[in-house]
Amino acid sequence: MTVALVAGCKAQAVDSDGKAQPIRISPTKTDAGGGGQDGPAEKPGTERASTPKPAPKAPPKTLLAPGQRSDQVRELQARLREVEWLYEDPSGTYGEATTTAVKGFQEKRGLPATGTTDTVTWQRLLAMTHEPTKYELYSGGGIPPSKPAKACLTGRVLCISKESRTLSWMIDGRTVSTMDVRFGSQGTPTREGTFTVYWKSRHHVSTLYDSSMPYALFFSGGQAVHYSTDFAATGYTGASHGCVNVRDEQKIASLYAQVRKGDKVVVYK
């Protein structure tokens, strides 16, 4: 068989009698790999890479747990009080009441009710509350005393800070004892300044308000440092009529026994 050229420049095969024969042409290869229209063929011995599975999420990290004691525990308690899951004053100790409050907060929000404070629980609580003030952190008292006023650094002094709500009994610059105090309301404020104890009255009763004022140490008119059963019972939710209230009876009793007439009283912000 020979190949002849025909019109159109297309080559055709002819037999010995001159009759044209069809030419069989292999399918055109799309690439050297021979994959045709389905794309390139895989090389022998190779496998398609599988889609990687996402890494499992790490469990929330525990931040605070029962039995711990710290400033962050105190903040946790103050924030739980804001959303009314805890009614006790912050103490800084992660006790039973705090554990129960955390469990309730978690259950309400569909979180695992473990009673421990993990990163997820903490972030949810942060989003629902404001940063606690110093007085919210120490609503039950115990605020660290402020830096003593200069007038407190010499002699025998009842050094009373309105900013930290503390009374420090100081002798020649040394702190002998410190106790929580509260002051008068806006309408009957406690006076500020430097005074002296001019009268001591162990079982005093106010003639103006007909109220008991045990262990009274008078320093300015009718204003005195004294024990208050109301302060002991209700804390900072109330106020005095201008006196400096003390809620720890043992501490004020000890103070009363040590203070003498003429000792200095300094009330400052």
Side-chain angles (χ1 to χ4, degrees), residues 196-266:
T196 57
V197 175
Y198 70 88
W199 182 28
K200 295 175 61 176
S201 181
R202 167 65 181 83
H203 301 286
H204 193 80
V205 176
S206 171
T207 56
L208 183 60
Y209 300 106
D210 193 28
S211 58
S212 178
M213 298 170 56
Y215 306 103
L217 302 167
F218 286 90
F219 61 88
S220 177
Q223 295 190 357
V225 174
H226 68 84
Y227 174 67
S228 168
T229 55
D230 180 71
F231 185 25
T234 64
Y236 290 102
T237 57
S240 73
H241 291 97
C243 287
V244 178
N245 290 164
V246 178
R247 62 174 161 190
D248 189 317
E249 188 170 9
Q250 288 187 338
K251 285 188 175 182
I252 187 64
S254 176
L255 180 68
Y256 184 88
Q258 297 176 65
V259 171
R260 302 192 292 253
K261 288 177 61 176
D263 285 344
K264 191 164 34 175
V265 178
V266 178

Side-chain angles (χ1 to χ4, degrees), residues 65-68 73 77 80 85-86 88 91 93-104 114-116:
Q68 288 184 311
V73 172
Q77 293 167 330
L80 287 169
W85 276 105
L86 183 67
E88 294 183 354
S91 64
T93 299
Y94 205 124
E96 183 178 350
T98 302
T99 302
T100 300
V102 171
K103 281 184 179 180
T114 61
T116 61

Side-chain angles (χ1 to χ4, degrees), residues 12 22 26 36 40 49 52 72 81 91 98 104 106 113-114 122 130 152 191 224 229-230 238 262:
Q12 292 191 37
S26 298
Q72 191 173 6
R81 278 170 60 88
S91 64
T98 302
Q106 291 169 327
T114 61
W122 182 248
H130 64 261
C152 295
R191 302 179 189 100
T229 55
D230 180 71

Side-chain angles (χ1 to χ4, degrees), residues 100-155:
T100 300
V102 171
K103 281 184 179 180
F105 179 84
Q106 291 169 327
E107 286 177 343
K108 182 72 173 180
R109 282 142 194 91
L111 303 174
T114 61
T116 61
T117 303
D118 55 36
T119 49
V120 174
T121 302
W122 182 248
Q123 290 301 321
R124 291 293 296 273
L125 187 58
L126 289 182
M128 297 176 62
T129 55
H130 64 261
E131 184 175 354
T133 66
K134 178 168 59 178
Y135 299 128
E136 288 171 329
L137 290 170
Y138 292 90
S139 59
I143 299 176
S146 298
K147 181 180 179 180
K150 187 175 181 179
C152 295
L153 300 179
T154 57

